[in-house]
Amino acid sequence: DAGVIQSPRHEVTEMGQEVTLRCKPISGHNSLFWYRQTMMRGLELLIYFNNNVPIDDSGMPEDRFSAKMPNASFSTLKIQPSEPRDSAVYFCASSPRTGDNSPLHFGNGTRLTVT
Amino acid sequence: EDQVTQSPEALRLQEGESSSLNCSYTVSGLRGLFWYRQDPGKGPEFLFTLYSAGEEKEKERLKATLTKKESFLHITAPKPEDSATYLCAVQGGSYIPTFGRGTSLIVHP
């Protein structure tokens, strides 16, 4: 079990540029979550998918953020255009399913810095 | 709206000095309360799930307890390797976890 894999680990970009974060969930897990972590606000849920379908994106800050899950083994979170206030650590997590009490399995995150 | 408040924000202990971390919560229909450990530069790692008031779970030097309004993570005789941020999360009717901001624990040798 390789765990949840995120790439890149670090991303530094200039304001206005497009940023794409990638996630490979654990094989067989049907639910995928994107969280953002900052010192001020802690871990905030951005969006989650169940069986590749977006279920709740109410946490996505604004239209500059979009997420896709084209298949069970891959998801992307895109920010366009990026702004300095988007600087944070972005985590992807997966679980076997929603609707029960399965804990989340987190990747090691992507640290995004927007200058 | 589910809410989780953790205290203290930061805690410094000497090796062997036992203490407790607090997680206060409000949730509509608790499905589960989770404790995670997060090391610097890593994602949170699952420790425990508690389901109902009165339940306790133990793992090495850690023991988690649950009441109807809060949970405690007791650390007995901590070691430097217990240094980490400990996160609490609650899961209500939506089954989507809401996290607290965590307690940063440093254990000095």
Side-chain angles (χ1 to χ4, degrees):
Chain A
D1 183 352
V4 175
I5 299 172
Q6 292 187 246
S7 64
R9 287 299 315 275
H10 302 273
E11 178 78 48
V12 180
T13 190
E14 292 184 347
M15 183 175 62
Q17 297 298 305
E18 176 181 303
V19 175
T20 300
L21 312 182
R22 297 173 176 80
C23 174
K24 177 179 169 57
I26 292 173
S27 177
H29 282 194
N30 294 326
S31 296
L32 183 140
F33 303 77
W34 283 99
Y35 280 88
R36 178 171 67 178
Q37 187 175 44
T38 60
M39 291 292 291
M40 290 293 295
R41 302 173 70 90
L43 268 171
E44 300 175 283
L45 177 68
L46 300 176
I47 186 172
Y48 83 94
F49 295 83
N50 198 36
N51 293 321
N52 312 337
V53 176
I55 303 300
D56 184 352
D57 65 355
S58 59
M60 298 285 260
E62 48 198 271
D63 293 345
R64 297 184 297 106
F65 286 68
S66 62
K68 295 182 179 179
M69 191 165 186
N71 57 61
S73 60
F74 184 65
S75 178
T76 59
L77 178 67
K78 183 179 294 185
I79 308 173
Q80 181 184 22
S82 58
E83 297 183 2
R85 60 189 167 130
D86 301 331
S87 297
V89 181
Y90 290 80
F91 286 102
C92 174
S94 69
S95 72
R97 67 200 68 82
T98 51
D100 67 9
N101 295 316
S102 301
L104 301 186
H105 299 256
F106 284 83
N108 284 328
T110 294
R111 180 174 294 278
L112 173 64
T113 302
V114 184
T115 61
Chain B
E1 182 180 333
D2 301 342
Q3 291 189 336
V4 178
T5 302
Q6 292 189 246
S7 61
E9 290 186 10
L11 181 63
R12 293 177 179 268
L13 300 174
Q14 289 297 126
E15 185 172 2
E17 179 186 2
S18 301
S19 189
S20 297
L21 312 182
N22 177 263
C23 170
S24 297
Y25 65 90
T26 56
V27 64
S28 177
L30 180 69
R31 305 293 185 184
L33 184 140
F34 303 83
W35 283 98
Y36 290 81
R37 169 188 171 131
Q38 185 175 19
D39 292 300
K42 300 286 184 67
E45 182 179 344
F46 170 71
L47 292 172
F48 304 110
T49 307
L50 302 168
Y51 297 100
S52 58
E55 188 175 2
E56 298 183 353
K57 293 272 181 76
E58 286 189 67
K59 180 179 180 179
E60 297 181 359
R61 295 175 293 281
L62 301 176
K63 183 170 79 172
T65 62
L66 181 64
T67 73
K68 289 185 177 181
K69 294 184 178 181
E70 57 191 351
S71 176
F72 292 93
L73 185 64
H74 306 278
I75 303 177
T76 302
K79 298 182 178 182
E81 53 261 44
D82 295 321
S83 298
T85 295
Y86 290 86
L87 296 167
C88 172
V90 294
Q91 193 165 285
S94 70
Y95 287 100
I96 303 303
T98 297
F99 284 82
R101 291 173 56 182
T103 293
S104 174
L105 173 66
I106 297 176
V107 181
H108 296 284

